[in-house]
């Protein structure tokens, strides 16, 4: 995705659609699908969990026994030893059945002990992974504080090193910690005093720690009362003079922010897979109703309005799933640069799932509003996904600014080359040729070789979007320069365009694979891809026009003026007496 901001496509990770599982891994995954499904049909009761705001011990014991809490723990430590793609496939089943339980499972392994997998020393892994894999020791990820939500660097919890350099003494508190009342092992982030090796200056920097409840001084509040995911345990956690051995530093001292970001980046793909399963469930409920409900003398599936809803719901589900498994398989094949893609997947999945659930309720009408269908619980559960693991607003800025920075660095490289053209002729001619073909409409990106004949027109649309996106990114960079960081509306337009472009690329690649393999679903996948390309292209063009519109600044100024007035009046605006005559 970083290269898309330059109007360029590096095809290696997207064409052909990744297929990294060995035959043995596929057989292992298939062998787990039925036991997972039976757990949710025979043991777990999502409605009861939601009603009681807790998952009973019998259900949790069965989940541990199944290996559901140790899917990605290597087998030598007592886990199932599955990779990201296998984990994603099981997450789909979780998402289709119980998001509340899914949070308990995900908070434990997607982020709870993920830091130990990513950064743990051999000794840390040997000590903690067997516990969190098979000894029913829950893990949690403790980052958020009252003063720091999206701004993780502003945390106030502090850990002070003892004079003998053998321990850190931790004090502080965390809020809204999933598994906070259950976890005996936590990945905790705190400010620590670090000395700059170059200047000798003392600075506060975040450090990550593995904290055991048994260290003493670790307590938690009562479970929070929440809108959704009620069955998951969410609580404040308090640390009072907690004595942490120096060997429990996770990663390097002072590099806790990097640890936190990489844990979140590596876990976000699972959200896309999980919510693609949720969407499937909503579509299944809505389709069953449309097939059986008769109004005005015919099945409602025959009505154009209902058909359009079902089509759009399936398009979004297909794109979400395509993104999630493209990312997971790239991660499994060794890619280390997936942070933009996972952020895009999280934003897309959480917003599409909300839309799909809402439309499913609408198709069912009054019945959709009733508890017995399960859709109202799903909708309440879904609301949190646009907030946690990075709010969608922050992630959009992250995607846009990361991409713009990459494009900006390349632009600087070109500027340096132009200062010494005789030594950089090859680079200059290559860049000039790419820009010329794009500007006169020949297109710098050609996807025709990557897709089947049925998708050539859709591929042209995606390629034209990439070309225009690259030119628009450069245009706003030249216009705003370093001040682009303050132009959030412009950045949002770029991010929304990037998200739709990635959706087009993922579906073009996946449906091409289906067609080449002559899968039974191939024709349907091709049609979904064509429909998505039509819709996404229209949205991309609209966003890019707005990003460079001469009226944008005056519109932004108007928005800012109105917003300030609203905030001055605490949100209440009195219009006075209205003359209705």
């Amino acid at each position: 995705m970083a290269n898309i901001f330059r109007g360029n496509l590096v095809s290696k990770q997207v064409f052909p659609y990744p297929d990294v599982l060995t035959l043995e891994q596929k057989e292992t995954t298939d062998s787990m699908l039925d036991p997972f499904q039976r757990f949710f049909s025979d043991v777990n009761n999502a409605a009861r969990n939601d009603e009681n705001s807790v998952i009973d011990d019998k259900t949790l014991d069965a989940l541990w026994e199944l290996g559901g809490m140790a899917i990605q723990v290597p087998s030598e430590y007592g886990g199932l030893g599955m990779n990201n793609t296998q984990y994603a496939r099981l997450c789909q089943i979780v998402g289709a059945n119980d998001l509340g339980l899914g949070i308990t499972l995900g908070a434990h392994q997607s982020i709870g002990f993920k830091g130990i997998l990513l950064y743990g020393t051999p000794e840390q892994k040997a000590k903690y992974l067997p516990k969190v894999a098979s000894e029913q020791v829950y893990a949690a990820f403790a980052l958020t504080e009252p003063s720091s939500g999206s701004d993780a660097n502003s945390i106030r919890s502090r850990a002070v090193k003892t004079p003998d350099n053998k321990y850190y003494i931790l004090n502080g508190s965390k809020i809204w910690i999933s598994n906070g009342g259950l976890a005996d092992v936590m990945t905790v982030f705190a400010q620590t005093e670090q000395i700059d090796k170059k200047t000798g200056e003392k600075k506060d920097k975040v450090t990550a720690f593995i904290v055991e409840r048994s260290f003493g001084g670790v307590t938690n509040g009562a479970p929070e009362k929440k809108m959704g995911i009620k069955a998951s345990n969410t609580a404040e956690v308090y640390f009072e003079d907690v004595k942490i051995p120096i060997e429990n530093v996770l990663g390097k001292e002072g590099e806790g922010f990097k640890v936190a970001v990489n844990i979140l980046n590596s876990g976000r793909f699972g959200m896309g897979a999980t919510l693609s399963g949720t969407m499937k469930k909503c579509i299944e409920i809505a389709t069953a109703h449309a097939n059986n409900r008769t109004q005005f003398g015919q099945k409602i599936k025959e009505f154009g309005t209902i058909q359009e809803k079902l089509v759009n719901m399936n398009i979004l589900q297909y794109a979400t799933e395509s993104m999630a498994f493209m990312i997971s398989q790239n991660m499994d094949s060794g890619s280390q640069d997936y942070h933009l893609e996972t952020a895009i997947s999280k934003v897309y999945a959480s917003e599409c799932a909300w839309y799909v659930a809402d439309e499913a309720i609408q198709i069912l009408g009054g019945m959709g509003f009733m508890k017995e269908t399960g859709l109202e619980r799903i909708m309440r559960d879904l609301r949190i996904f646009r907030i946690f693991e990075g709010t969608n607003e922050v992630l959009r800025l992250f995607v846009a600014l990361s991409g713009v920075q990459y494009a900006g660095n390349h632009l600087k490289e070109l500027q340096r080359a132009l200062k010494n053209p005789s030594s950089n002729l090859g680079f200059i001619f290559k860049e000039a040729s790419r820009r010329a073909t794009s500007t006169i409409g020949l297109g710098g990106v050609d996807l025709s070789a990557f897709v089947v004949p049925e998708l050539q027109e859709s591929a042209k649309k995606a390629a034209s979007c990439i070309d225009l996106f690259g030119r628009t990114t450069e245009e706003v960079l030249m216009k705003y320069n370093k001040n682009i960081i303050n132009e959030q509306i412009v950045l949002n337009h770029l991010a929304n365009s990037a998200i739709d472009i990635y959706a087009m690329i993922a579906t073009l690649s996946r449906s091409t694979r289906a067609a080449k393999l002559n899968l039974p679903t191939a024709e349907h996948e091709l049609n979904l891809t064509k429909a998505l390309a039509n819709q996404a292209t229209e949205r991309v063009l609209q966003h890019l026009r707005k990003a460079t519109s001469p009226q944008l600044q005056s519109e932004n100024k108007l928005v800012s003026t109105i917003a300030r007035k609203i905030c001055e009046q605490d949100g209440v605006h009195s219009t006075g007496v209205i003359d209705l005559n």
Side-chain angles (χ1 to χ4, degrees), residues 63-170:
L63 184 61
W64 278 97
E65 188 176 339
L66 183 62
M69 302 298 278
I71 297 171
Q72 288 195 274
V73 175
S75 54
E76 60 264 34
Y77 298 114
L80 298 183
M82 290 187 162
N83 63 18
N84 294 304
T85 303
Q86 293 171 299
Y87 176 67
R89 182 65 188 90
L90 296 181
C91 281
Q92 280 192 302
I93 297 175
V94 177
N97 288 278
D98 190 347
L99 287 171
L101 181 141
I103 296 302
T104 302
L105 183 151
H108 176 69
Q109 56 194 320
S110 278
I111 54 176
F113 64 74
K114 178 60 73 73
I116 301 174
L117 285 173
L118 294 176
Y119 290 97
T121 64
E123 293 77 15
Q124 288 171 341
K125 290 179 179 179
K127 180 177 181 180
Y128 290 108
L129 291 181
K131 294 177 184 289
V132 299
S134 56
E135 297 177 21
Q136 296 203 16
V137 172
Y138 289 90
F141 179 84
L143 175 63
T144 304
E145 297 183 4
S147 62
S148 65
S150 299
D151 183 8
N153 258 328
S154 66
I155 61 175
R156 295 180 180 177
S157 292
R158 174 167 292 278
V160 179
K161 192 179 289 186
T162 56
D164 60 8
N165 290 328
K166 291 184 178 180
Y167 296 92
Y168 269 101
I169 306 301
L170 171 65

Side-chain angles (χ1 to χ4, degrees), residues 211-380:
V211 177
E212 297 181 39
R213 194 178 288 267
S214 62
F215 289 165
V218 181
T219 56
N220 61 268
E224 300 284 0
K225 298 184 185 300
K226 309 186 293 289
M227 174 193 293
I229 57 167
K230 292 183 177 182
S232 65
N233 179 281
T234 308
E236 290 191 47
V237 182
Y238 312 104
F239 305 98
E240 185 176 356
D241 294 333
V242 181
K243 195 174 182 181
I244 308 171
I246 195 72
E247 57 266 26
N248 275 43
V249 169
L250 189 59
K252 294 181 180 179
E253 293 179 69
E255 294 189 3
F257 181 73
K258 174 184 174 183
V259 172
V261 167
N262 285 336
I263 290 172
L264 293 171
N265 282 342
S266 67
R268 284 193 185 110
F269 79 93
M271 193 180 296
T274 299
L275 296 183
S276 74
T278 308
M279 284 187 259
K280 274 188 176 181
K281 183 66 174 180
C282 292
I283 293 168
E284 177 186 309
I285 295 170
T287 304
H289 184 80
N291 281 332
N292 292 288
R293 178 69 165 168
T294 299
Q295 290 287 279
F296 307 107
Q298 58 181 317
K299 302 291 186 184
I300 65 170
K301 68 179 179 180
E302 303 298 334
F303 299 145
T305 301
I306 301 299
Q307 290 174 353
E308 185 179 43
K309 290 180 184 296
L310 290 173
V311 168
N312 287 332
M313 291 159 72
N314 275 270
I315 289 170
L316 298 178
Q317 192 282 331
Y318 182 69
T320 298
E321 187 175 79
S322 300
M323 284 186 193
F325 284 93
M326 177 173 278
I327 294 167
S328 71
Q329 294 189 95
N330 277 322
M331 292 170 69
D332 288 333
S333 64
S335 171
Q336 297 297 313
D337 190 9
Y338 46 76
H339 58 288
L340 291 185
E341 289 80 1
T342 56
I344 284 172
S345 175
K346 187 269 186 186
V347 171
Y348 195 83
S350 59
E351 294 181 0
C352 290
W354 178 265
Y355 173 88
V356 168
D358 185 59
E359 288 289 68
I361 291 172
Q362 196 68 17
I363 289 172
L364 268 68
M367 181 58 70
F369 201 66
M370 301 298 112
K371 290 188 71 171
E372 64 186 88
T373 66
L375 288 172
E376 64 86 28
R377 184 188 74 251
I378 290 173
M379 178 154 258
R380 285 188 288 103

Side-chain angles (χ1 to χ4, degrees), residues 467-477 494 544-545 547-548:
D467 286 330
L468 181 59
F469 184 63
R471 296 201 304 273
T472 303
T473 299
E474 186 171 311
E475 183 177 341
V476 299
L477 263 173
L494 292 180
L544 296 182
R545 278 196 300 270
T548 55

Side-chain angles (χ1 to χ4, degrees), residues 3 16 27 31 44 52 83 105 168 183 194 290-291 302 313 317 340 348-350 363 396 414 424 457 489 492 565:
N3 279 284
E27 289 174 348
S31 71
N44 187 64
N52 297 335
N83 63 18
L105 183 151
Y168 269 101
Q194 302 295 318
N291 281 332
E302 303 298 334
M313 291 159 72
Q317 192 282 331
L340 291 185
Y348 195 83
S350 59
I363 289 172
R396 275 188 167 86
L414 177 60
N424 298 281
E457 191 59 36
I489 306 300
N492 282 334
K565 188 65 176 179

